[in-house]
Amino acid sequence: MAIKANIKKDDRVEVISGKNRGKVGRVKKLVADKKRLRVIVENVNLITRHTKPGPNSPGGKLEKEAPLDISNVALLCPKCHERTRVAHTFVPVVGSGKPRKVRVCKKCSEQIDEK
Ligand SMILES: [Zn+2]
């Protein structure tokens, strides 16, 4: 069964629990595990890897983002900049018979997804 997520790549999110609480960043990637969905947020939850010098690298410290559980982040509305939950609505698509499903901010009712 596919896991439903109301957060997508390039969304701005705020971390709402854990040691990174309060940090804000852009979603770089969604990582789907067996049961869980996690997100990699730009410059949040950095872990340091120490690498040994080798033929192709000078070695040293390498920082990279570790994934966060999706339940630990909240979407930030690009319109009202509030932490929000999303509703869905359908908008008609010109030239197509099918309406398109878009996300809507529950706080300001603005459409989150671009047309
Ligand atoms: Zn909003």
Side-chain angles (χ1 to χ4, degrees):
M1 193 187 91
I3 308 164
K4 279 190 199 164
N6 287 327
I7 290 173
K8 295 179 182 177
K9 186 173 177 291
D10 291 329
D11 281 344
R12 273 172 66 76
V13 295
E14 181 177 335
V15 182
I16 53 171
S17 66
K19 66 181 164 73
N20 292 290
R21 189 165 67 188
K23 288 191 180 169
V24 170
R26 184 181 65 87
V27 174
K28 281 174 79 174
K29 198 177 177 186
L30 293 174
V31 184
D33 251 328
K34 292 181 194 82
K35 286 181 182 161
R36 294 159 25 154
L37 196 56
R38 294 187 292 172
V39 292
I40 292 177
V41 184
E42 201 166 55
N43 294 321
V44 174
N45 205 27
L46 291 172
I47 52 168
T48 307
R49 287 263 168 85
H50 295 273
T51 56
K52 284 180 181 164
N56 300 317
S57 117
K61 285 198 284 187
L62 178 72
E63 286 199 317
K64 61 176 283 186
E65 294 98 347
L68 295 158
D69 198 279
I70 202 158
S71 63
N72 290 340
V73 301
L75 182 67
L76 287 175
C77 173
K79 302 286 161 54
C80 66
H81 306 286
E82 294 281 337
R83 256 171 25 194
T84 189
R85 306 211 299 154
V86 298
H88 290 98
T89 191
F90 290 90
V91 292
V93 177
V94 179
S96 159
K98 283 184 185 168
R100 204 167 60 83
K101 192 179 180 186
V102 295
R103 295 178 299 167
V104 174
C105 172
K106 280 196 175 175
K107 291 218 168 122
C108 66
S109 302
E110 288 283 341
Q111 197 173 309
I112 293 169
D113 295 306
E114 296 302 321
K115 293 185 199 70

